[in-house]
């Protein structure tokens, strides 16, 4: 059995060496002016980036870290300088570049003024999701054919009490493990897509009005592992219950023919994380070193790389001129976590921005097919020199431009 792993690096791992500080104390860097009711919106640089963020990293000058301190001056490591003080560390700063954001403001303006937005269900196949989170609970899909907790498969779909979706990992109707951290990843993904707007906390791309998250837990344990078989079952469930867009923020080096066939034959649009590099955390070209499902070459897949706020791909982000499609903010992303809010980084955080944008556009344009939505998102990507040859579109997500994209004449 092949195993998937989540494609995020936790901010916790980096917290010891990284701080992220707005340079302007009173005016936040993010979307507070667009979503003034959301307390943490000012840190959502991916939605609006005015260039005021700065990443400060304090690194030892020595690749082998502390061991350098033990190297004798005349020993085998004598080529290395002997550390003597504060100068043995270097401070690296990365400044944000204003405008490296997904340009959500004009899209929200059009969307909020429209009377014809349709309802859209987005499947999140991931760890579980904190469905009671105050910023998510209005955004969670429920199965109206099922009566929760009565022990009966009311809708006869083979799943008993699947009112809030299903847990394919533990094979039960509980899609959230309260008190454990194993559902942090899925909760973060869900918040980026569809957290409520202007209700405190963060601003989800779609808000909670027309877009609902179908929670399909297929990854479990603190490692976030799962099997292709469970993901396949979750995809079939999503389709059968009305989902049209599916977020897959995980990857595996093992190819599953069954999973590939299931995705290729699905009517859904899949948004997939490109993956976070090799064992050392260095991004790789997934055209030559494939990872799945990111490298699947299907017309209903968008594979997403992780853009840093300075306009460069994150060093850990996978890429590929054929296999990766678009770059999207994925580093230092604040979103919902069980019982609160937190920062995570990785292509796992980039993919749900595309999922949210796709759901918003699909809702806004009831005349669009999912293929139209994919063409709009990739065809309107903002071209950037740093992304040439790295992603098929050559650019980053621009939701405002996607809303103005015009379909070519047939
Ligand atoms: Ca059922
Ligand atoms: Ca909110």
């Amino acid at each position: 059995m092949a195993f998937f792993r989540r494609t995020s690096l936790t901010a916790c791992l980096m917290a010891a060496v990284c701080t992220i500080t707005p340079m302007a104390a009173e005016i936040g860097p993010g979307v507070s002016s667009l979503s003034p009711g959301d307390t943490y919106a000012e840190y959502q640089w991916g939605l609006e980036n005015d260039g005021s963020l700065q990443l400060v990293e304090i690194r030892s000058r020595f690749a082998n870290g502390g061991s350098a301190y033990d190297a004798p001056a005349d020993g085998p490591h004598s080529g290395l300088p002997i550390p003597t003080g504060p100068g043995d560390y270097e401070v690296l700063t990365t400044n944000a570049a204003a405008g490296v954001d997904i340009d959500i403001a004009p899209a929200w303006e059009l969307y909020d003024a429209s009377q014809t937005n349709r309802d859209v269900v987005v499947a999140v196949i991931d760890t579980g999701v904190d469905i009671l989170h105050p910023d998510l609970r209005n955004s969670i899909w429920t199965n109206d054919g099922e009566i929760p907790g009565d022990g009966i498969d009311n809708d006869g779909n083979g799943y008993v009490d699947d009112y809030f979706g299903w847990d394919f990992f533990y094979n039960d109707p509980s899609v959230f493990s309260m008190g454990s951290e194993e559902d942090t990843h899925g909760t973060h993904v869900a918040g980026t897509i569809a957290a409520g707007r202007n209700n405190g906390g963060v601003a989800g791309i779609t808000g909670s009005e027309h877009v609902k998250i179908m929670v399909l837990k297929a990854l479990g344990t603190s490692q976030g592992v799962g099997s292709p078989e469970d993901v396949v079952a979750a995809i079939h469930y999503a389709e059968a219950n009305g989902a049209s867009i599916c977020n897959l923020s995980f990857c595996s080096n093992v190819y599953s023919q069954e999973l590939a066939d299931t995705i290729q034959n699905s009517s859904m649009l899949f948004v997939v994380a490109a993956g976070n590099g090799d064992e050392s955390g260095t991004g790789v070209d997934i055209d030559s070193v494939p990872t799945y499902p990111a490298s699947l070459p299907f017309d209903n897949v968008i594979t997403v790389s992780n853009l840093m706020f300075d306009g460069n791909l994150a060093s850990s982000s996978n890429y590929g001129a054929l296999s990766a499609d678009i770059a999207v903010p994925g580093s230092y992303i604040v979103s919902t976590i069980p019982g609160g809010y937190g920062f995570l980084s990785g292509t796992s955080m980039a993919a749900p921005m595309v999922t949210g944008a796709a759901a918003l556009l699909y809702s806004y344009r009831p005349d669009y097919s999912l293929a139209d939505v994919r063409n709009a998102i990739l065809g309107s990507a903002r071209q950037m020199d740093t992304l040439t040859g790295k992603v098929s579109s050559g650019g980053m997500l621009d939701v405002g431009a996607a809303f103005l994209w015009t379909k070519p004449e047939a």
Side-chain angles (χ1 to χ4, degrees):
M1 184 162 52
F3 283 89
F4 292 109
R5 57 189 169 82
R6 296 171 297 183
T7 51
S8 68
L9 306 166
T10 67
C12 306
L13 293 175
M14 295 181 282
V17 291
C18 304
T19 56
I20 188 166
T21 48
M23 292 168 73
E26 293 181 6
I27 304 169
V31 288
S32 52
S33 60
L34 301 176
S35 193
D38 288 312
T39 322
Y40 294 106
E42 64 180 314
Y43 295 104
Q44 294 184 263
W45 71 267
L47 302 187
E48 187 176 79
N49 178 2
D50 66 3
S52 65
L53 280 181
Q54 185 179 55
L55 176 69
V56 180
E57 298 172 85
I58 302 171
R59 293 184 186 171
S60 166
R61 290 186 185 277
F62 303 96
N64 53 348
S67 63
Y69 289 81
D70 303 324
D74 55 354
H77 301 292
S78 56
L80 292 172
I82 302 301
T84 56
D88 301 325
Y89 294 89
E90 58 186 343
V91 178
L92 304 175
T93 59
T94 306
N95 292 311
V100 176
D101 60 42
I102 68 169
D103 190 28
I104 195 70
W108 275 349
E109 196 167 321
L110 290 168
Y111 189 80
D112 292 347
S114 173
Q115 303 297 314
T116 56
N117 297 326
R118 66 174 148 185
D119 293 338
V120 174
V121 178
V122 172
V124 170
I125 301 178
D126 206 287
T127 69
V129 172
D130 179 359
I131 56 175
L132 301 176
H133 196 293
D135 219 356
L136 285 175
R137 62 186 168 209
N138 294 326
S139 308
I140 301 297
W141 172 86
T142 55
N143 179 1
D144 294 336
E146 194 72 18
I147 299 167
D150 69 352
I152 298 169
D153 180 14
N154 306 94
D155 63 358
N157 67 353
Y159 298 95
V160 174
D161 289 338
D162 56 320
Y163 184 71
F164 289 108
W166 190 255
D167 180 342
F168 294 86
F169 187 81
Y170 294 114
N171 200 33
D172 66 42
S174 167
V175 296
F176 176 54
S177 302
M178 186 112 49
S180 100
E181 291 186 359
E182 80 171 62
D183 295 331
T184 298
H185 191 267
T187 302
H188 199 277
V189 165
T192 295
I193 299 167
R197 279 170 57 196
N198 279 317
N199 68 336
V202 293
I205 290 173
T206 68
S208 59
E209 192 175 1
H210 292 288
V211 176
K212 303 297 177 186
I213 300 289
M214 181 186 286
V215 182
L216 302 176
K217 179 169 176 170
L219 308 180
T221 80
S222 60
Q223 306 301 311
V225 297
S227 70
E229 293 78 10
D230 285 346
V231 173
V232 165
I235 291 171
H236 288 313
Y237 182 102
E239 280 188 304
N241 290 280
S244 51
I245 299 168
C246 183
N247 191 90
L248 303 177
S249 284
F250 54 77
C251 59
S252 170
N253 294 328
V254 179
Y255 179 79
S256 160
Q257 187 68 50
E258 186 188 16
L259 178 58
D261 290 345
T262 301
I263 289 173
Q264 185 172 26
N265 296 327
S266 173
S267 60
M268 292 193 293
L269 173 64
F270 293 84
V271 182
V272 177
N276 298 333
D278 56 18
E279 290 78 4
S280 70
T282 303
V284 299
D285 184 342
I286 58 171
D287 291 345
S288 53
V289 184
T291 186
Y292 303 101
S295 296
L296 295 176
F298 305 142
D299 290 341
N300 62 339
V301 173
I302 300 176
T303 297
V304 184
S305 295
N306 166 6
L307 196 65
M308 180 55 172
F309 52 54
D310 63 356
N312 291 299
L313 279 184
S315 61
S316 62
S317 178
N318 290 346
Y319 55 88
L322 299 173
S323 300
D325 293 308
I326 194 166
V328 181
S331 299
Y332 306 97
I333 303 301
V334 63
S335 184
T336 47
I337 61 174
Y341 298 88
F343 288 90
L344 293 175
S345 295
T347 55
S348 283
M349 284 62 245
M353 292 225 182
V354 173
T355 299
L360 193 75
L361 181 57
Y362 194 52
S363 175
Y364 176 68
R365 291 296 299 260
D367 57 319
Y368 274 9
S369 67
L370 290 165
D372 292 335
V373 169
R374 183 178 187 273
N375 290 336
I377 285 175
L378 298 184
S380 64
R382 191 186 315 148
Q383 301 300 298
M384 296 174 69
D385 292 343
T386 54
L387 301 176
T388 304
K390 300 287 190 181
V391 294
S392 70
S393 70
M396 72 170 291
L397 176 64
D398 188 324
V399 191
F403 267 59
L404 299 177
W405 177 83
T406 50
K407 192 174 169 177
E409 298 288 333

